[in-house]
């Protein structure tokens, strides 16, 4: 399957990168084609709502690193969003990439896609993932994508917090058993 992984953390060796690395390695081992974009390391201008892309289809005024992302998104069968909780949502960097989907909105809605979320946060409250999962579910519903449960790591403020937890295995399993 063609898989796009969009990460949102500015930490290259952070908590969520452990989950992303486990997932990507397992998915590649299982024979999937995985493309990973670390959005916090890329030049991605936030959408300004100029609506140029609605006047001339698929023409965003910003000619930045989203130009690499768009073709992969259009053919993705699986999209995996990876983000630390930032005030109970995704990071601004990942949100900027998501908002820029606007330029290819129609294509994305027509493309049957499965979506997963790999998230981590320092909080241990059972409601800590409510906001981010509600957003993902709602966005996927709008996009006609099939949102599936991913990995939601609570009590994970630093990578070491994942040691002796089941979360890395869950990310690995997800990559191994994608269908
Ligand atoms: C700006 C900021 C906001 C955060 N907001 C939350 C939050 O709302 N809930 C939470 O549980 N953790 C929050 N955290 C903690 C991070 O989610 C946590 O440290 C995570 O492990 C960082 O992952 P990373 O190393 O992959 O970036 C926040 C951290 C920062 C820097």
């Amino acid at each position: 399957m063609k898989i796009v992984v969009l990460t949102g953390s500015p930490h290259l060796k952070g908590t969520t990168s452990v989950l992303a690395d486990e997932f990507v390695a397992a998915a590649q081992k299982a024979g999937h084609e995985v493309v990973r974009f670390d959005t916090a390391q890329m030049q991605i201008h936030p959408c300004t709502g100029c609506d140029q892309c609605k006047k001339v289809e698929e023409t965003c005024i910003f000619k930045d690193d989203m130009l690499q992302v768009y073709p992969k998104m259009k053919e993705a069968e699986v999209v995996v969003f990876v983000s630390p909780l930032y005030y109970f949502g995704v990071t601004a960097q990942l949100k900027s990439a998501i908002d820029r989907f606007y330029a290819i909105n129609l294509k994305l809605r027509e493309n049957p896609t499965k979506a997963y979320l790999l998230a981590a946060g320092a909080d241990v409250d059972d409601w800590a993932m409510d906001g981010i999962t509600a957003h993902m579910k709602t966005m996927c519903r709008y996009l006609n994508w099939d949102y599936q449960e991913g990995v939601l790591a609570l009590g994970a403020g630093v990578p070491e917090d994942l040691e002796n937890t089941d979360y890395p295995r869950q990310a690995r399993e997800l990559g191994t058993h994608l269908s």
Side-chain angles (χ1 to χ4, degrees), residues 98-119:
I98 291 171
D99 288 350
R100 294 281 300 282
F101 289 178
Y102 196 56
I104 58 165
N105 202 45
L106 290 176
K107 282 264 167 34
L108 293 180
R109 296 191 76 190
E110 285 164 2
N111 194 29
T113 309
K114 266 189 191 171
Y116 295 90
L117 170 67
L118 310 181

Side-chain angles (χ1 to χ4, degrees), residues 31-80:
H32 299 293
E33 185 185 318
V34 186
V35 186
R36 172 174 173 167
F37 296 106
D38 293 315
T39 62
Q41 311 300 324
M42 299 168 74
Q43 295 302 318
I44 298 178
H45 199 286
C47 177
T48 55
C50 70
D51 270 358
Q52 177 61 27
C53 59
K54 303 300 159 227
K55 291 175 200 137
V56 185
E57 215 182 301
E58 291 192 32
T59 51
C60 182
I61 59 163
F62 298 113
K63 307 298 178 203
D64 57 15
D65 288 343
M66 279 305 284
L67 293 179
Q68 304 164 35
V69 180
Y70 286 140
K72 298 297 178 188
M73 286 298 299
K74 283 194 262 181
E75 58 179 31
E77 295 166 282
V78 176
V79 177
V80 182

Side-chain angles (χ1 to χ4, degrees), residues 8-19 82-89 91 119-125 127-129 153-159 161-162:
S9 173
H11 300 141
L12 279 172
K13 296 279 170 213
T15 318
T16 51
S17 70
V18 173
L19 302 177
V82 186
S83 184
L85 285 182
Y86 271 20
Y87 287 88
F88 304 98
T91 63
D123 224 296
V124 291
D125 294 306
W127 46 262
M129 295 289 174
L154 293 170
V158 289
D161 290 335
L162 293 176

